Amino acid sequence: MTVRPIVAIDRVSVAYGDLVVVHEVSLDIAAGETVGLVGESGSGKTSLGKAITMLKDTIDGTIAFEGEDVRALVASDRLAFRRRVQMIFQDPVSSLSPRLKIRSLLAEPIEVHGLPFEATWRQIEALMADVGLSAQHLDKYPHELSGGQARRVALLRSLVLAPRFIVCDEPTAGLDVSVQGDLLNLLCDLQITRGLTYLIISHNLNVIRRVTDTVAVMYLGQIVEVGETATLFARPAHPYTASLIAAIPTIDPDRRRSPIVLAGEIPSPRKPPTGCRFHPRCPSAQARCRTEAPARRDAGPGRSVACHFPVA
Ligand code: SF4
């Protein structure tokens, strides 16, 4: 039996003016799954996250949430969509209004979405302990919180609306390792108790390896590999995925790999290379790669790769 994904992204492109930063990306996310989206800065990860949550318009392709094309939603349905689909931003302090205390910031979504105030506020108070906040945080301003506390407030603001799907953009960036661990445990616990589905965008491959079921690798606006997390980390097929994994710092001698040195920086999406977009930096590139763009093809159960000469 084919299970319909909760999010189905089909050949989606996103642009800022004439600069196309996401190019014909397709990805399915199953209900209850945690998908990791990885890649260097400038690969289009956050733009794709914003497109899925309707914070950025697409210029092509379709995004379906629970089977409905999100671009076809009328205004009243869009508000309901925003309750079910949330995005938590990379820098939670700057995404929260600096002039409002946490109490007001938590009340804001209740008012915007017209939810019953008393009942919803009681839910917030009950949830505060679950996310590691206490009543004393309510009278603070965002800049008075630590990075970990600000992320918990952003998470609580999302949970107020009982979402089904949350995009977490760099959820652990800037946090020390023990706070990172607490936050990841919290995300995992909430997934179980509230039936959440996550897309986690991160540079930190140790975080991605720890909490995701599936990984999608982006390079210069395209998804170049998708695979089940353990398999992809053990046997990356795309040379770019292999280079990212080889660069993960580790103290475990059994996991050490020789670093794969990539030439140069990620090119500008304004003038992407011909053929395979990765070819100027790829240690496996051959003549064909310079002229022929590889399509993403199935490479086993739950696995697909866009490369003429995969390394696994
Ligand atoms: Fe490298 Fe060629 Fe594969 Fe592109 S298609 S990743 S250049 S081997």
Side-chain angles (χ1 to χ4, degrees):
M1 187 180 72
T2 307
V3 179
R4 191 174 72 180
I6 190 169
V7 178
I9 303 162
D10 187 23
R11 298 181 71 82
V12 158
S13 297
V14 178
Y16 293 86
D18 61 356
L19 186 64
V20 178
V21 293
V22 174
H23 182 71
E24 296 185 354
V25 160
S26 299
L27 181 69
D28 285 349
I29 300 174
E33 190 181 25
T34 299
V35 173
L37 190 58
V38 304
E40 289 162 287
S41 294
S43 59
K45 307 184 299 297
T46 298
S47 298
L48 181 59
K50 286 182 174 175
I52 299 170
T53 49
M54 290 187 79
L55 297 171
K56 176 82 187 109
D57 286 338
T58 56
I59 56 167
D60 210 354
T62 57
I63 297 174
F65 179 73
E66 295 183 323
E68 274 184 283
D69 180 349
V70 300
R71 281 212 298 195
L73 296 177
V74 295
S76 57
D77 291 342
R78 285 184 173 221
L79 203 59
F81 172 85
R82 291 194 195 287
R83 284 201 289 277
R84 290 180 293 158
V85 177
Q86 292 279 305
M87 181 160 183
I88 298 176
F89 291 96
Q90 177 170 356
D91 182 354
V93 172
S94 65
S95 72
L96 299 171
S97 172
R99 294 187 306 278
L100 295 180
K101 290 186 175 177
I102 303 307
R103 182 185 301 280
S104 303
L105 288 165
L106 292 172
E108 205 173 45
I110 305 178
E111 288 158 11
V112 168
H113 289 270
L115 302 177
F117 194 90
E118 297 295 328
T120 312
W121 189 261
R122 277 199 297 277
Q123 287 173 21
I124 289 178
E125 288 177 332
L127 267 170
M128 284 190 76
D130 290 351
V131 302
L133 294 169
S134 66
Q136 68 180 21
H137 294 112
L138 292 173
D139 293 314
K140 291 187 182 296
Y141 289 97
H143 71 269
E144 296 177 299
L145 301 178
S146 69
Q149 289 165 348
R151 278 182 175 79
R152 288 165 196 272
V153 168
L155 187 57
L156 184 52
R157 253 168 74 93
S158 299
L159 295 175
V160 170
L161 301 171
R164 299 256 294 130
F165 176 67
I166 302 180
V167 175
C168 303
D169 192 3
E170 299 287 358
T172 60
L175 302 180
D176 68 37
V177 173
S178 68
V179 181
Q180 283 184 19
D182 290 347
L183 198 79
L184 294 174
N185 289 340
L186 174 60
L187 289 175
C188 294
D189 290 348
L190 290 169
Q191 179 166 45
I192 294 165
T193 56
R194 301 178 74 86
L196 293 167
T197 304
Y198 293 124
L199 178 68
I200 297 191
I201 298 170
S202 183
H203 284 94
N204 187 331
L205 292 194
N206 283 322
V207 167
I208 292 291
R209 175 158 50 194
R210 178 173 158 187
V211 299
T212 65
D213 305 299
T214 299
V215 179
V217 182
M218 276 192 92
Y219 183 78
L220 201 53
Q222 298 180 320
I223 289 183
V224 296
E225 182 165 6
V226 177
E228 186 266 323
T229 302
T231 309
L232 185 135
F233 274 89
R235 286 182 289 104
H238 195 282
Y240 179 59
T241 313
S243 71
L244 291 179
I245 290 172
I248 300 173
T250 177
I251 55 171
D252 179 352
D254 294 333
R255 281 191 166 169
R256 273 187 208 150
R257 302 169 189 250
S258 303
I260 300 168
V261 179
L262 292 182
E265 301 286 314
I266 189 167
S268 165
R270 199 169 289 287
K271 200 165 182 279
T274 56
C276 172
R277 292 182 169 206
F278 187 53
H279 87 254
R281 304 174 74 196
C282 179
S284 308
Q286 301 187 33
R288 179 183 173 193
C289 307
R290 287 189 271 281
T291 54
E292 190 184 330
R296 206 167 94 220
R297 290 190 301 269
D298 284 349
R303 191 95 190 260
S304 59
V305 60
C307 176
H308 297 309
F309 308 104
V311 291

